[in-house]
C-alpha cells in the first residue's frame, strides 16, 4: 500500500532503524526509549500504552499495546487484559471527541499468517472511519492520503486524554498517566 504523507509527518522511527536491528522489538523499544510525544505514545496505564500508528490507515489510527512482551493474546493475565480493554475504551472515547468519526474498525492481527507486520508483540488496532473513506486495511486499497498530520493528531488526543477522569497530565510531551 502506498501512502502519501504531508510534510509535517513525525519522524520518530525510521523503518531502517528497526530493519537494521531485527532482534529488537519495536514496541518494547519505543516504550523503553521515550514515554511520550517523540515516539507517539499518548497515554498509558500500569499495563498498557496507546501509541499513534506511524503508518496510519486513517487520521487517528492508534494501537493499544501491552507493556508485557508477548505475541499471544491469551498469555495476558486478567489484570493485563483488563488494563488493555480499559485503555482501548478510553482511546475510543478520546478519538470520538477529537475527530467525530462515523465508526471504528478495531482488531488484532495474531500470528504470522494474519498479515500483520509485527507478530511477536500483540497490539490492538483502532482505526476511525468516516462514511466514504477508503476500505479498511491495505488489502483492498492502494494509495491514500493521510491529511491529518501526526503531530496534530498527537496534540488533539493528548488533550482529550487529559480531560478524562482518573488521569494525570505530566506535560504535553509526556504520555498522560492513567491511574484508574
Ligand atoms: Zn516487545
Amino acid at each position: 500500500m502506498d501512502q502519501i504523507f504531508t510534510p509535517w509527518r513525525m519522524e520518530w522511527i525510521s523503518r531502517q532503524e528497526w530493519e537494521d536491528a531485527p532482534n529488537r522489538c519495536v514496541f518494547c523499544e519505543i516504550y523503553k526509549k521515550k514515554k511520550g510525544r517523540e515516539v507517539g505514545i499518548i497515554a498509558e496505564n500500569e499495563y498498557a500504552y496507546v501509541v499513534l500508528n506511524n503508518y496510519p490507515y486513517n487520521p487517528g489510527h492508534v494501537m493499544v499495546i501491552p507493556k508485557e512482551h508477548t505475541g499471544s493474546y491469551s498469555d495476558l493475565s486478567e489484570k493485563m487484559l483488563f488494563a488493555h480493554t480499559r485503555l482501548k475504551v478510553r482511546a475510543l472515547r478520546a478519538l470520538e471527541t477529537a475527530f467525530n468519526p462515523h465508526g471504528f474498525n478495531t482488531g488484532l492481527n495474531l500470528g504470522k499468517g494474519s498479515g500483520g507486520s509485527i507478530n511477536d508483540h500483540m497490539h490492538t488496532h483502532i482505526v476511525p472511519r468516516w462514511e466514504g473513506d477508503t476500505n479498511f486495511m491495505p488489502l483492498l486499497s492502494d494509495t491514500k492520503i493521510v491529511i491529518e498530520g501526526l503531530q496534530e493528531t498527537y496534540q488533539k488526543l493528548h488533550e482529550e486524554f487529559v480531560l478524562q477522569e482518573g488521569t494525570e497530565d505530566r506535560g504535553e510531551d509526556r504520555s498522560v498517566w492513567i491511574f484508574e
Side-chain angles (χ1 to χ4, degrees):
M1 178 177 176
D2 299 319
Q3 294 197 351
I4 298 167
F5 286 94
T6 39
W8 56 87
R9 204 182 139 229
M10 255 185 217
E11 292 292 334
W12 69 67
I13 310 161
S14 72
R15 273 222 161 136
Q16 198 59 46
E17 187 182 338
W18 303 104
E19 280 165 7
D20 291 345
N23 296 323
R24 288 191 300 179
C25 169
V26 62
F27 293 149
C28 289
E29 290 293 325
I30 60 169
Y31 182 73
K32 265 188 267 168
K33 225 175 182 176
K34 299 277 178 192
K35 298 164 175 63
R37 179 189 291 269
E38 208 173 316
V39 292
I41 297 178
I42 305 156
E44 61 180 293
N45 59 24
E46 192 177 354
Y47 296 106
Y49 66 88
V50 56
V51 64
L52 291 180
N53 193 304
N54 212 7
Y55 299 90
Y57 295 118
N58 256 352
H61 180 177
V62 300
M63 298 174 292
V64 179
I65 302 179
K67 293 179 183 178
E68 177 92 349
H69 179 85
T70 176
S72 168
Y73 197 35
S74 52
D75 273 357
L76 294 182
S77 69
E78 294 279 320
K79 277 188 296 190
M80 290 172 193
L81 278 170
F82 187 65
H84 194 88
T85 305
R86 287 288 293 265
L87 190 54
K88 186 173 156 184
V89 169
R90 283 179 178 273
L92 288 166
R93 283 193 192 133
L95 287 163
E96 266 166 15
T97 44
F99 297 109
N100 288 306
H102 299 136
F104 292 99
N105 289 112
T106 172
L108 302 157
N109 297 315
L110 296 172
K112 281 202 174 83
S114 69
S117 54
I118 294 173
N119 298 311
D120 58 354
H121 195 143
M122 65 142 290
H123 49 283
T124 301
H125 288 272
I126 303 175
V127 182
R129 298 298 310 274
W130 287 266
E131 281 164 28
D133 67 11
T134 51
N135 291 309
F136 180 54
M137 293 294 138
L139 304 167
L140 302 169
S141 55
D142 38 38
T143 300
K144 68 184 298 190
I145 298 170
V146 177
I147 297 159
E148 174 91 12
L150 289 176
Q151 287 285 1
E152 288 172 34
T153 303
Y154 187 92
Q155 192 62 37
K156 278 189 196 171
L157 289 176
H158 189 276
E159 284 165 15
E160 293 299 335
F161 269 101
V162 167
L163 291 172
Q164 293 181 0
E165 287 186 13
T167 62
E168 184 195 341
D169 184 3
R170 303 183 292 181
E172 63 169 19
D173 292 328
R174 286 195 67 196
S175 58
V176 178
W177 181 258
I178 298 166
F179 52 84
E180 66 177 38

